[in-house]
Amino acid sequence: GFEKLVQENISNFRFVAFDTETTGSSVAEDSIVELAAMTFDEEFEHRTFQSLVKPPKPIPPVVIKIHGITDEMVKQAPDGRTVLERFSEFLEWSGGPRVLLAHNAGFDVGMVHGEAARALGNARLGKTLESVGSELVIDTCMLAKVLLPDLPQPRRVSLAEYFKIDGSRFHRAMSDVKVLHGVFMQLLGIAADRMTARGSGFTLESLIDLSGGYFILNPADAAIRKKPFRLPPRIAQIEGLCGTSA
């Protein structure tokens, strides 16, 4: 169960960094145009996933200037439902136990959930997506805010500069994922040193605490799509003891 999982040492986990490029900044109104992911652990990179996505509406010119993905590039790409099914299969192939990573995870999780909601609304949710389980997602932006409080803005580009990681092609999903991989490994080292100084083991619960909580990715669950963020287990337990009435 979850209670046992969070007590596992962080070295036992496989990580999956993922990133989306979209038609805009609205989780409710915009669509994914590219999705990429990389599976890795503390020792080596395992496999990658990358796909363009054909959105239901044209990509606004102002957004094309940011990521460079044009309507022509996505004309022959699979739709969101198909890509989400392939992404779900990729996660299963990645093995476990695993933890997903995203920078500003609320946005990327929200975009994946939004695509799934549209697929459900169109009655086109495939069997693969229907049976997908919940994935725990750590927000590396929140983690960086805690571990690097003196860094003015823990944006991905700022963190890449801080850790001297090459990010020559920002705002394409796979290049952003590769930067995220490098940033997370640096943050993981800082966090591990902090745990060692405290004389405590570095568990998944420790990582969740440092990140201020976690997100749940589950495209098939409407309740989770509506409220994907969760407090750290320790804080959630305290919150559960406090009622709203006198």
Side-chain angles (χ1 to χ4, degrees):
F2 180 75
E3 293 79 9
K4 184 178 179 181
L5 184 70
V6 296
Q7 298 307 318
E8 289 272 352
N9 191 281
I10 207 69
S11 62
N12 295 334
F13 287 89
R14 190 161 289 183
F15 299 98
V16 184
F18 78 101
D19 184 68
T20 61
E21 300 300 335
T22 67
T23 59
S25 59
S26 171
V27 170
E29 301 294 331
D30 289 304
S31 304
I32 296 173
V33 296
E34 188 175 38
L35 176 62
M38 175 192 292
T39 303
F40 61 94
D41 56 30
E42 288 187 296
E43 295 184 1
F44 60 95
E45 175 188 328
H46 290 272
R47 60 177 70 204
T48 59
F49 171 90
Q50 183 176 20
S51 179
L52 290 169
V53 185
K54 184 177 181 179
K57 298 178 181 179
I59 305 170
V62 66
V63 180
I64 293 174
K65 289 181 180 179
I66 296 172
H67 53 49
I69 300 172
T70 65
D71 291 324
E72 183 66 24
M73 291 169 64
V74 300
K75 186 168 63 174
Q76 301 299 324
D79 63 9
R81 174 192 61 82
T82 302
V83 173
L84 288 189
E85 288 190 342
R86 292 174 182 172
F87 180 53
S88 296
E89 291 170 351
F90 169 79
L91 292 177
E92 288 301 312
W93 293 335
S94 297
R98 61 180 173 268
V99 173
L100 273 59
L101 309 166
H103 204 72
N104 293 319
F107 178 75
D108 293 295
V109 168
M111 290 306 303
V112 171
H113 284 167
E115 290 288 346
R118 281 187 286 275
L120 275 167
N122 294 332
R124 296 168 58 207
L125 194 64
K127 290 182 179 178
T128 303
L129 211 52
E130 283 177 341
S131 61
V132 69
S134 293
E135 303 284 349
L136 189 151
V137 187
I138 292 292
D139 187 346
T140 52
C141 182
M142 294 169 68
L143 180 62
K145 285 179 180 178
V146 172
L147 296 177
L148 301 171
D150 294 331
L151 196 67
Q153 290 183 319
R155 294 181 301 126
R156 186 162 22 211
V157 61
S158 303
L159 289 164
E161 291 174 357
Y162 181 84
F163 290 124
K164 297 180 172 57
I165 296 167
D166 179 29
S168 56
R169 186 65 179 91
F170 285 108
H171 293 303
R172 282 301 300 269
M174 182 50 74
S175 58
D176 283 356
V177 161
K178 289 179 178 178
V179 170
L180 178 56
H181 165 237
V183 165
F184 177 71
M185 293 305 292
Q186 294 288 338
L187 293 174
L188 199 63
I190 295 170
D193 290 344
R194 182 172 295 190
M195 293 300 108
T196 300
R198 290 179 182 175
S200 56
F202 191 9
T203 63
L204 175 57
E205 185 170 14
S206 304
L207 183 62
I208 290 172
D209 283 344
L210 287 170
S211 303
Y214 62 99
F215 291 84
I216 299 176
L217 182 74
N218 189 329
D221 191 312
I224 290 175
R225 292 201 309 267
K226 185 176 181 180
K227 189 179 179 182
F229 182 72
R230 299 290 186 274
L231 291 167
R234 179 170 49 83
I235 303 301
Q237 287 175 359
I238 296 171
E239 185 187 45
L241 297 174
C242 301
T244 55
S245 59

